[in-house]
């Protein structure tokens, strides 16, 4: 009876552990997101990528609309051509004109729409849509872009829910771009490029040092190997001689 109860407890524990593993391994659904290519610094310019995954099993994504934040209008918005897609940039008048380089700007881009010329984003794939943005605002830590994804079967997914700090991520979160601290030159992407170049030099130096270290290690290993062989041969010879003396 005691053995039976123990076996039951073990079986139950295994079942719970298995269920826990399954629960942890279930992947979260992907959503439209935005990430900078390098640095998105306050007051600077940056190139950002809107990553659009296709979550449908039997339909393609044929259109994606990205709405720019109205509370922080951007004076410069330029899309990069994406093969297989046409792009439309929509501008609107601003309630409060922007002053850029001493000039007042009365309108700004409020929406960018990409439409597939062919099949679009197939099931199981994703596509990046790059935008050059600037100057990024200095009075906020993030920019929220509400996006609308349209499928070939007419299904529309609205990624417009604004994530709130301290709360769980909403079901359809809006793409949110985090802004880093302002740089001295106010050219976030350029500064990132310089840093990458310097980092590349450092990496090359580290690689050369590592190569020298590896070379020294190989040489040491070879020397020790030869010494080991010599000692082994000497030991065998000594053993043979000792055996002959005993026989004599």
């Amino acid at each position: 009876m005691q053995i039976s109860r123990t076996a039951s407890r073990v079986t139950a524990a295994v079942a719970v552990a298995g269920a826990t593993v399954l629960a942890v391994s279930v992947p979260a659904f992907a959503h439209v997101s935005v990430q900078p290519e390098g640095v998105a610094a306050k007051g600077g310019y940056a190139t950002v990528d809107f990553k659009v995954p296709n979550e449908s099993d039997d339909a393609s994504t044929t259109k994606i609309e990205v709405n720019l934040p109205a509370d922080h209008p951007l004076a410069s918005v330029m899309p990069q051509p994406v093969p297989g897609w046409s792009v439309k940039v929509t501008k609107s008048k601003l309630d409060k004109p922007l002053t850029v380089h001493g000039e007042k700007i009365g309108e700004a881009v409020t929406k960018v729409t990409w439409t597939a010329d062919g099949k679009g984003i197939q099931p199981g794939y994703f596509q990046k849509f790059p935008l050059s943005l600037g100057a990024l605002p200095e009075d906020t830590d993030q920019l929220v872009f509400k996006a609308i994804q349209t499928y070939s079967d007419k299904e529309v997914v609205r990624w417009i829910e604004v994530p709130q700090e301290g709360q769980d991520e909403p079901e359809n979160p809006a793409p949110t771009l985090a802004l880093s601290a302002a740089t001295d030159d106010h050219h976030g992407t350029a500064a990132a490029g310089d840093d990458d170049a310097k980092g590349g030099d450092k990496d090359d130096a580290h690689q050369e040092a590592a190569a020298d270290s590896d070379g020294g290690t190989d040489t040491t290993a070879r020397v020790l190997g030869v010494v080991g062989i010599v000692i082994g041969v000497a030991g065998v010879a000594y053993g043979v001689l000792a055996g002959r003396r005993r026989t004599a």
Side-chain angles (χ1 to χ4, degrees):
M1 180 64 70
Q2 184 65 29
I3 296 176
S4 178
R5 289 180 180 177
T6 302
S8 298
R9 291 174 181 175
V10 172
T11 302
V14 171
V16 171
T20 302
V21 171
L22 289 175
V24 172
S25 63
V26 173
F29 289 105
H31 52 75
V32 176
S33 60
V34 58
Q35 292 293 333
E37 295 182 3
V39 177
K42 298 178 182 180
Y45 289 76
T47 297
V48 302
D49 293 326
F50 287 90
K51 182 180 178 181
V52 181
N54 189 356
E55 295 182 326
S56 175
D57 295 330
D58 50 13
S60 302
T61 295
T62 55
K63 186 169 70 173
I64 181 72
E65 302 174 35
V66 173
N67 293 276
L68 280 74
D71 55 343
H72 293 96
L74 301 171
S76 176
V77 177
M78 293 186 294
Q80 178 179 326
V82 178
W85 295 78
S86 59
V87 60
K88 179 182 178 182
V89 177
T90 302
K91 293 184 177 182
S92 301
K93 290 184 178 181
L94 300 175
D95 295 334
K96 183 180 180 181
L98 295 174
T99 301
V100 180
H101 301 301
E103 297 182 2
K104 288 188 175 181
I105 299 177
E107 64 177 11
V109 175
T110 54
K111 182 171 67 174
V112 180
T113 305
W114 289 271
T115 304
D117 297 329
K119 295 182 179 180
I121 308 174
Q122 300 292 302
Y125 290 86
F126 73 91
Q127 177 68 53
K128 290 184 178 181
F129 299 90
L131 281 182
S132 174
L133 306 176
L136 300 175
E138 300 185 41
D139 58 349
T140 184
D141 294 328
Q142 64 180 22
L143 291 176
V144 178
F145 302 85
K146 296 183 178 181
I148 299 176
Q149 183 177 13
T150 303
Y151 287 88
S152 57
D153 60 0
K154 307 304 180 183
E155 179 186 0
V156 176
V157 181
R158 302 179 184 276
W159 305 98
I160 61 175
E161 298 179 83
V162 181
Q164 301 296 327
E165 186 176 357
Q167 298 183 9
D168 294 338
E169 185 179 69
E171 184 177 355
N172 294 314
T176 302
L177 176 67
L179 303 180
S180 61
T183 58
D184 293 337
D185 57 7
H186 277 193
H187 293 283
T189 303
D194 294 341
D195 291 340
D196 290 341
K198 295 178 182 178
D201 295 339
K202 294 179 180 178
D203 290 341
D204 293 340
H206 288 312
Q207 290 175 0
E208 291 177 1
D212 294 341
S213 177
D214 292 341
T217 301
D218 292 341
T219 301
T220 302
R222 292 173 182 173
V223 172
L224 292 176
V226 172
V227 172
I229 294 174
V230 172
I231 293 175
V233 172
V236 172
Y238 177 80
V240 173
L241 292 175
R244 290 179 179 179
R245 288 176 183 178
R246 292 174 182 177
T247 301

